[in-house]
């Protein structure tokens, strides 16, 4: 009985399938172009749609006199749609070749910084594929030909006499080579640098190999942690690289001008150790295993990942205290947690990076120099109306309010406004709960991207209360910020 019933059921099922026809199979998606940007309102064509960057290998070959270079970006990508074509970001360098999966691909450039690539065959959704782009470019010497106006100094790769350095914030990497130039496109990166003669080179990550052939030396550096293109650094010049064992056994690496290394190194090393320990006590373990500095005579304080770019003249014994070099170092090291490890989802989230760096610089200044945290916050609060009027809310500045240079949205709102928001949060929930929020934020988003909404959610969860209305009142305020919790007497300068 049971056997017959089963036979009848199977037969009935077969008849049903015959009548219904074969099962439906979804038709492959028609290939279409990837978006020319990630939809960031501050840089609409920054980053690219249609794929994810999984790894990048960047190589630089410099002319003997460092006046020009050839660069190749080899990117490992994964398609998030079926692609008929896709973009990389590139503005300025001359394209020499483009291949996809090792085969020549058609390409064109646009005036707004896009390299549009059409592969020989469409790329299917979900496929992993490689693209290689070789470019040629000059390396302008800022000492020999200084810009007439500050806005003429665009970000990218610079030369200052015998030194080469990168300054890629926010979208200067596209002026150097072809990449996906947005913080959300961070990926592990290997960098190769080839130079002639005695020039030494340095880049993010550990030195993995050195090969010298016919007077040309190639050094290979590997950064296994994801890194955003705005945090890349390539240094070449008459530098000496010194390694020290740092807190927890980490590698402290200092690439300094050879003629100043001996006098700069002791104070620099002491400050790095102290600042890393100071920040680690508040935020948890340092995010990486390599930290240090690349210092040049034309350097500017920039948090290039694991290799802060600094001005060597500020680090000499006679200038270190006068220029406040230790506070600069503390600020840039705070970025290793905020901005480097936890990168902004969109450029409007920049306050999470720069605001945190300023806030911990305030804490450092209080601990090291007796400058009260309350006094630093009060001074910033007093002046906030001017920059709030000029650029708009802390987490939503007006893109049109920034000048013609490559600086948007790097304004006072992201720096002082972000720090004031964090100070207000600390006043609202107490120092202990605030620090638990901070530790949770950097631990849960280690080597990821995260934005303002996520920070509000984390703060609310850790504090056990809905902090959304409070934080949004600070982050999206127009004209003037709310009264400071615990300091209702704090005054604000009149509007300009």
């Amino acid at each position: 009985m049971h056997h017959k019933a089963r036979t009848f059921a199977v037969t009935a099922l077969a008849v049903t399938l015959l009548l219904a026809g074969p099962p439906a199979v979804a038709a492959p998606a028609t290939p279409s172009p990837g978006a020319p940007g990630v939809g960031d309102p501050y840089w609409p064509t920054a980053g690219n749609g249609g794929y994810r960057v999984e790894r990048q290998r960047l190589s630089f070959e410099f002319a003997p006199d460092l006046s020009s270079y050839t660069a190749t970006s080899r990117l490992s990508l994964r398609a998030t749609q079926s692609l008929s074509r896709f973009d990389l970001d590139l503005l300025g360098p001359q394209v020499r070749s483009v291949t996809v999966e090792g085969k020549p691909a058609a390409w064109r450039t646009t005036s707004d910084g896009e390299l549009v690539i059409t592969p020989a065959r469409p790329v299917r959704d979900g496929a992993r594929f490689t693209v290689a782009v070789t470019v040629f470019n000059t390396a302008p010497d800022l000492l020999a030909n200084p810009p007439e106006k500050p806005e003429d100094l665009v970000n990218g790769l610079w030369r200052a006499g015998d030194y080469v350095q990168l300054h890629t914030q926010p979208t200067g990497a596209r002026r150097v080579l072809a990449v996906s130039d947005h913080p959300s496109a961070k990926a592990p990166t290997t960098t190769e640098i080839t130079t002639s003669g005695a020039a030494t080179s340095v880049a993010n990550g550990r030195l993995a190999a050195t090969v010298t052939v016919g007077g040309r030396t190639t050094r290979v550096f590997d950064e296994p942690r994801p890194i955003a293109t705005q945090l890349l650094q390539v240094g070449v010049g008459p530098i000496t690289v010194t390694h020290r064992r740092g807190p927890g056994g980490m590698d402290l690496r200092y690439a300094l001008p050879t003629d100043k290394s001996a006098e700069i190194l002791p104070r620099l090393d002491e400050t790095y150790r102290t600042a890393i320990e100071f920040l680690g006590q508040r935020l948890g373990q340092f995010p990486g295993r390599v930290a240090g500095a690349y210092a040049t005579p034309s350097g500017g304080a920039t948090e290039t990942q694991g290799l802060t770019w600094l001005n060597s003249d500020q680090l000499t014994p006679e200038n270190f205290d006068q220029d406040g070099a230790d506070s600069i170092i503390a600020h840039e090291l705070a970025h290793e947690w905020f901005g480097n490890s936890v990168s902004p989802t969109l450029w409007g989230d920049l306050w999470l990076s720069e605001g945190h760096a300023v806030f911990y610089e305030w804490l450092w200044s209080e601990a090291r120099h007796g400058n009260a945290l309350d006094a630093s916050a009060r001074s910033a609060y007093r002046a906030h109306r001017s920059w709030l009027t000029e650029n708009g809310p802390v987490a939503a500045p007006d893109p049109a309010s920034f000048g013609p240079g490559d600086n948007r949205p790097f304004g006072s709102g992201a720096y002082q406004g972000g720090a004031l928001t964090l100070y207000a949060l600390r006043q609202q929930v107490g120092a202990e709960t605030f620090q638990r929020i901070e530790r949770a934020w950097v631990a849960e988003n280690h080597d990821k991207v995260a934005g303002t909404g996520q920070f509000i959610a984390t703060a609310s969860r850790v504090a056990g209360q809905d902090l959304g209305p409070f934080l949004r009142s600070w982050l999206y305020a127009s004209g003037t910020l709310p009264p400071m919790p615990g300091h209702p007497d704090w005054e604000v300068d009149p509007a300009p």
Side-chain angles (χ1 to χ4, degrees), residues 407-427:
N407 68 324
R408 67 180 186 271
F410 283 81
S412 296
Y415 289 79
Q416 280 71 36
L420 280 172
T421 299
L422 294 168
Y423 178 85
L425 175 61
R426 189 175 186 260
Q427 290 290 108

Side-chain angles (χ1 to χ4, degrees), residues 53-56 182-190 204-205 222-232 287-288 303-306 335-337 339-343 445-449:
V53 182
E54 295 192 331
R55 186 167 184 85
Q56 49 192 12
H182 190 270
S184 62
K186 58 197 293 185
T189 300
T190 300
N204 313 90
D222 185 63
E223 172 54 280
R225 296 172 54 215
I227 181 172
T229 50
Q230 60 136 341
L231 305 172
L232 294 172
E303 65 274 16
T304 44
Q305 187 165 312
H335 276 302
E336 295 287 357
W337 283 266
N340 296 9
S341 177
V342 188
S343 299
N445 299 292
H446 174 74
D447 282 347
K448 300 176 184 177
V449 298

Side-chain angles (χ1 to χ4, degrees), residues 136-157:
F136 171 83
N137 204 7
T138 58
D141 190 336
L142 300 186
L143 298 184
N145 299 291
E148 295 183 4
K149 302 185 296 295
E151 56 265 31
D152 293 336
L153 182 60
V154 295
N155 295 337
L157 185 147

Side-chain angles (χ1 to χ4, degrees), residues 51-58 73-79 86 88 99-101 123 127-133 178-180 185-190:
Y51 62 83
R52 292 194 304 270
V53 182
E54 295 192 331
R55 186 167 184 85
Q56 49 192 12
R57 189 178 185 94
L58 314 176
S73 46
R74 298 176 178 87
L75 309 180
S76 298
L77 311 176
R78 182 161 189 170
F86 59 93
L88 293 176
T99 64
V100 176
E101 287 292 282
V123 179
R128 286 186 168 91
F129 65 106
T130 59
V131 56
V133 180
V179 289
S180 187
K186 58 197 293 185
T189 300
T190 300

